[in-house]
């Protein structure tokens, strides 16, 4: 009988991503409610020394698949490995972060296993041992609770920055087990030849704790200088609306919204962004939303916790100076 929670940890360049610790923490809470164990899976190349950290966040066991061919995520290799692990371990619930990789991975894994899957969830509950996932629908206007068919595992991805992360406890340790990596090279249909890093050196928007975002109100690419300065003072990442991206002022990687990235930082400062539903779809689960807009009727103010009605080119530099003074 299927039992226990399996969590897929995601690494990039050998470092475990923050969302993985959030998902392990949430997986631990679910496993405790089930009275069962949580197993984390770590896949990569030269990653074994990172496995212990998953134990600090609550994993009882970590299965490590370490092989040079696994350095970068490829659906063929990762899905085939995890499908075998699922068959061997029979978890009742399997969760991972709703990153670009996680969303791709979860969909393909669910299809391979013939089980149900829910993407980009913001909360999990258990009813009679079955996973019930909450996920935003209609561009974040409503939340749906979804249940799964009887087939196990119930697979879901968790939106980054939403689930509470446990305090790491270095006195906690997990059993670390090496997985046999029986990969058929012919099954690996894609090969990552190069990873081109974002030159900005800021934290990826999906994992950022603070985001300063600009829209059409920035007037042009040079307008973002004031946002970059504020982001530097705050230690924030910089986002953009689709209008700004479509105008070529910012790269697509910066776009927040329905057709961009879904973000959930502790602080989201929207500057010169009207707050169209497609933009809100990408940021409405942010913990604190600040809007700076010269139009008091802009819809963004309906979602904002704090609002400033004024010219952003006056307000943002003043805010930057005030933050710098705070040290
Ligand atoms: C299928 C589809 C998908 C979409 N996906 C996305 C998406 O992923 N992300 C996204 O953002 N949009 C998306 N859109 C576009 C969306 O509908 C809006 O057009 C877009 O979000 C508007 O961007 P904006 O707020 O920057 O521009 P505007 O709506 O033009 O707003 C600009 C704002 O700046 C303010 N402003 C101007 N000058 C100043 C100043 N000096 N100081 C202060 N405020 C000022 C104005 O008052 C105004 O409120 C999508 C649309 C469709 C149809």
């Amino acid at each position: 009988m299927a039992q226990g929670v399996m969590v897929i940890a995601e690494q990039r360049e050998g470092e475990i991503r923050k969302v993985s610790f959030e998902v392990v923490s949430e997986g631990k809470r679910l496993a405790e409610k089930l009275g069962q164990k949580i197993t984390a899976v770590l896949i990569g190349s030269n990653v074994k020394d990172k496995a212990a950290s998953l134990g600090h966040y609550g994993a009882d066991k970590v299965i490590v698949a370490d092989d040079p061919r696994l350095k970068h995520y490829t659906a063929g290799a990762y899905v085939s490995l995890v499908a075998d692990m699922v068959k061997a371990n029979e978890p009742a619930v399997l969760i991972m972060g709703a990153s670009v990789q996680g969303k791709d991975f979860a969909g393909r894994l669910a299809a391979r296993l013939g089980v149900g899957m829910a993407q980009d969830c913001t909360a999990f509950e258990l009813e009679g041992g079955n996973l019930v996932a909450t996920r935003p629908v209609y561009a974040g206007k409503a939340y749906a609770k979804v249940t799964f068919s009887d087939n196990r595992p119930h697979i879901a991805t968790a939106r980054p920055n939403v689930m509470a992360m446990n305090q790491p406890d270095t006195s906690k340790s997990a059993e670390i087990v090496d997985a046999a990596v029986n990969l058929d090279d012919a099954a690996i249909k894609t090969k990552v030849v190069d990873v081109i890093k974002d030159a900005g050196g800021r934290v990826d928007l999906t994992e950022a704790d603070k985001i300063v975002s600009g829209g059409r109100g920035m007037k042009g690419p040079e307008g973002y200088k004031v946002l970059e300065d504020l982001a530097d003072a705050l230690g924030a990442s910089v986002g953009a609306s689709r209008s700004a991206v479509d105008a070529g002022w910012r790269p697509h990687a910066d776009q927040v919204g329905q057709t961009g990235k879904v973000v959930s930082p502790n602080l989201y400062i929207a500057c010169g962004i009207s707050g169209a539903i497609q933009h809100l779809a990408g940021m409405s689960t942010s913990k604190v939303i600040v809007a700076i807009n010269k139009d008091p009727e802009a819809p963004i103010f309906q979602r904002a916790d704090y609002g400033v009605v004024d010219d952003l080119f006056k307000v943002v530099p003043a805010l930057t100076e005030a933050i710098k003074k705070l040290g």
Side-chain angles (χ1 to χ4, degrees), residues 215-216 240-249 255:
R216 205 196 304 268
S241 72
R242 178 163 161 180
S243 300
V245 171
D246 284 353
W249 301 348
Q255 185 177 319

Side-chain angles (χ1 to χ4, degrees), residues 168-188:
D169 180 348
T170 49
S171 69
K172 285 190 182 159
S173 62
E175 177 195 358
I176 296 173
V177 179
D178 288 314
V181 181
N182 299 317
L183 272 182
D184 175 3
D185 283 345
I188 307 175

Side-chain angles (χ1 to χ4, degrees), residues 26 119-124 133-136 143-144 157-159 162-163 264 285:
E26 183 63 18
Q119 290 280 25
D120 199 23
C121 304
T122 51
F124 296 127
T134 302
R135 54 186 305 274
Y143 286 86
T157 63
R159 183 175 285 194
V162 172
M163 314 245 163
S264 201
T285 51

